[in-house]
């Protein structure tokens, strides 16, 4: 059977240009994979590679040997862009590029086969766009083989270049490791069940296999401090995991660092800890106007008022906090129930409940809280209740 190798990120990833969080797994499962298989190809995404820990090697074989490559570079994922470049370097034909409509190339690929789509959180809008993109992708795939039009810019402009060839592959390798996507799913299930030590071990192995992806270190840090919620030792270990990435503008990493120092402040009541939490959350919220970092930035401003002796500064912190809560609420207030398809979107409901409470929109608060509680797991409920109890106390001061 012909094989298609799919180059793209995975999970829910922030897209800084479009201002969205894109569920790349959903794009893969509901758009790319069904079309590719309907066109008669075996469809393999990079994280589905099955090999004995030789992930990079398997990925390069997939890029080199596959009859077709579909590269979705939405969120401008550097790994996906690099892998697309490798494909263009080794094959002159049969490469298709996909991307979210607001992403822009840093280089000229406009002459290449590119499918742009608009990512929607709302299910009805996503389904309508998915129908359009599936039809377009199918048309491109069906047209790509008979014409053999050069789509690699390298081979287009250096037309006497020959594609590289390699020796016969070694078929004697024992394939024992699970595909990456299965390992991620297993770790996620363990985390949701609050088996944090077991989840940590899986994320650590994934991080060792794919050290370039910060997601796994973020999850290692989360699983570390979740093992003992009120332990300075575990919080320090968690920060130690993220410290090599502390200078990044990545909102996910900064949000995690903010969470660590917020929890340290709960124990130490130290201004240094709350200031570090505020700086990290503010940096994340400034780069990417996300509900989670915005809500927590506002919450930490209120927390700082509990140790602030200057009344003017205290009032300024309260005003800035309320402004941020309102800003987050206004950005997400039209969030519809049919948008809640992922864990991230369930957390949006929690943020909307907290923001509604902070700005005295009690009807909205009750509606969002009820919806959040109906869709959240035990870990999410516990985390929400703990912060909401604190928020109510802070608002009453």
């Amino acid at each position: 059977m012909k094989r298609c190798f799919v180059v793209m990120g995975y999970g829910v990833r922030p897209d800084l240009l479009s201002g969205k969080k894109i569920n790349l797994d959903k794009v893969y499962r509901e758009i790319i994979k069904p079309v590719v298989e309907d066109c008669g190809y075996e469809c393999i995404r990079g994280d589905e590679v099955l090999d004995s820990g030789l992930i990079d090697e398997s990925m390069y074989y997939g890029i080199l040997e596959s009859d077709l490559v579909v590269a979705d570079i939405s969120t401008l994922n550097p790994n996906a862009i690099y892998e697309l470049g490798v494909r263009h370097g080794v094959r002159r034909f049969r490469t298709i590029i996909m991307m979210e409509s607001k992403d822009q190339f840093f280089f000229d690929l406009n002459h290449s086969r590119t499918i742009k789509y608009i990512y929607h959180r709302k299910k009805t809008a996503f389904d309508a766009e998915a129908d359009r993109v599936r039809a377009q992708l199918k048309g491109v795939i069906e047209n790509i083989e008979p014409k053999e039009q050069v789509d690699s810019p390298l081979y287009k402009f250096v037309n006497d270049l020959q594609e590289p060839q390699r020796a016969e592959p070694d078929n004697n390798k024992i394939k024992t490791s699970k595909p990456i996507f299965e390992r991620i799913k297993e770790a996620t299930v363990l985390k949701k069940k609050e088996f944090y030590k077991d989840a940590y071990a899986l994320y650590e192995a994934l991080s060792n296999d794919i050290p370039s992806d910060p997601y796994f270190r973020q999850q290692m840090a989360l699983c570390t401090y979740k093992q003992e919620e009120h332990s300075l030792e575990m919080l320090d270990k968690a920060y130690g995991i993220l410290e090599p990435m502390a200078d990044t503008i990545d909102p996910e990493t900064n949000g995690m660092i903010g969470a660590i120092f917020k929890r340290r402040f709960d124990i130490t009541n130290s201004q240094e800890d709350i200031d570090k939490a505020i700086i990290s959350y503010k940096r994340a919220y400034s780069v990417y106007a996300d509900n989670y970092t915005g809500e927590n930035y506002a919450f930490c401003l209120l927390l700082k008022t509990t140790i602030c002796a200057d009344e003017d500064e205290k009032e300024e912190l309260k005003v800035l906090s309320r402004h941020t809560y309102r800003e987050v609420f206004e950005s997400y207030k039209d969030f519809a129930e049919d948008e809640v398809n992922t864990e991230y979107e369930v957390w949006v409901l929690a943020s909307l409940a907290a923001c509604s409470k902070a700005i005295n929109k009690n009807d909205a608060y009750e509606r969002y809280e009820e919806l959040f509680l109906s869709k959240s797991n035990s870990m999410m409920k516990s985390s929400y209740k703990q912060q909401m109890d604190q928020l109510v106390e802070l608002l009453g001061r």
Side-chain angles (χ1 to χ4, degrees), residues 15-61:
D15 184 73
L16 302 182
L17 293 180
S18 69
K20 303 172 183 178
K21 279 200 172 182
I22 298 179
N23 188 337
L24 295 169
D25 290 345
K26 190 175 183 181
V27 173
Y28 175 64
R29 290 193 308 265
E30 299 189 24
I31 297 178
I32 299 173
K33 191 177 181 74
V35 173
V36 167
E37 291 181 340
D38 188 49
C39 290
Y41 289 82
E42 177 189 16
C43 186
I44 301 173
R45 190 167 68 166
D47 63 333
E48 296 173 339
V49 168
L50 181 64
D51 206 33
S52 302
L54 301 173
I55 293 161
D56 289 340
E57 182 179 341
S58 300
M59 182 269 293
Y60 286 120
Y61 283 156

Side-chain angles (χ1 to χ4, degrees), residues 99-241:
M99 63 191 304
E100 215 282 336
S101 61
K102 290 190 178 179
D103 285 327
Q104 299 294 325
F105 292 117
F106 296 119
F107 40 85
D108 182 16
L109 282 175
N110 292 329
H111 56 274
S112 299
R113 292 185 175 89
T114 303
I115 297 173
K116 289 198 171 189
Y117 61 87
I118 301 173
Y119 181 81
H120 299 278
R121 289 196 304 264
K122 290 185 178 180
K123 186 177 186 304
T124 50
F126 178 89
D127 289 346
E129 180 71 350
D131 286 342
R132 182 191 71 80
V133 178
R134 280 192 293 264
Q136 185 179 358
L137 178 59
K138 185 173 183 179
V140 172
I141 293 175
E142 289 177 343
N143 191 49
I144 202 168
E145 282 197 14
K147 291 192 175 181
E148 288 202 334
Q149 178 183 348
V150 175
D151 46 41
S152 162
L154 176 64
Y155 288 92
K156 182 172 183 177
F157 295 116
V158 187
N159 51 33
D160 60 344
L161 193 64
Q162 298 299 310
E163 293 181 348
Q165 301 295 324
R166 72 179 189 88
E168 288 298 314
D170 180 2
N171 295 318
N172 295 319
K173 291 178 180 176
I174 301 173
K175 299 183 177 182
T176 57
S177 179
K178 292 181 181 179
I180 299 169
F181 80 101
E182 288 188 8
R183 295 159 65 190
I184 295 171
K185 183 177 180 181
E186 185 177 346
T188 303
V189 169
L190 288 170
K191 182 182 69 174
K192 288 181 177 178
K193 291 182 177 179
E194 302 181 44
F195 298 150
Y196 296 117
K197 287 184 179 180
D198 295 332
Y200 176 93
L202 291 180
Y203 284 124
E204 183 179 34
L206 284 160
S207 182
N208 290 336
D209 286 341
I210 316 175
S212 62
D213 195 322
Y215 173 78
F216 303 117
R217 294 185 74 86
Q218 293 161 3
Q219 296 307 305
M220 289 165 60
L222 175 67
C223 290
T224 297
Y225 72 71
K226 283 288 187 180
Q227 289 178 40
E228 296 180 40
E229 288 278 9
H230 303 289
S231 166
L232 282 175
E233 179 185 1
M234 299 304 281
L235 288 166
D236 289 344
K237 283 184 178 180
Y239 179 66
I241 293 168

Side-chain angles (χ1 to χ4, degrees), residues 226 229 262-263 292 295-296 299 346-358 362 364-374 376-392:
K226 283 288 187 180
E229 288 278 9
K262 181 179 71 174
R263 283 164 173 77
Y292 167 79
E295 178 209 340
N296 279 285
F299 180 76
V346 176
W347 278 120
V348 173
L349 297 172
S351 294
L352 281 166
C355 292
S356 303
K357 188 71 174 177
N362 290 324
Y365 159 66
E366 291 174 3
R367 182 173 75 255
Y368 288 125
E369 181 175 75
E370 181 180 1
L371 192 54
F372 167 75
L373 293 174
S374 71
S376 55
N377 58 42
S378 60
M379 182 196 78
M380 298 167 82
K381 287 184 176 72
S382 174
S383 178
Y384 169 80
K385 184 179 185 305
Q386 181 181 0
Q387 183 148 316
M388 183 58 74
D389 288 345
Q390 281 185 284
L391 176 61
V392 170

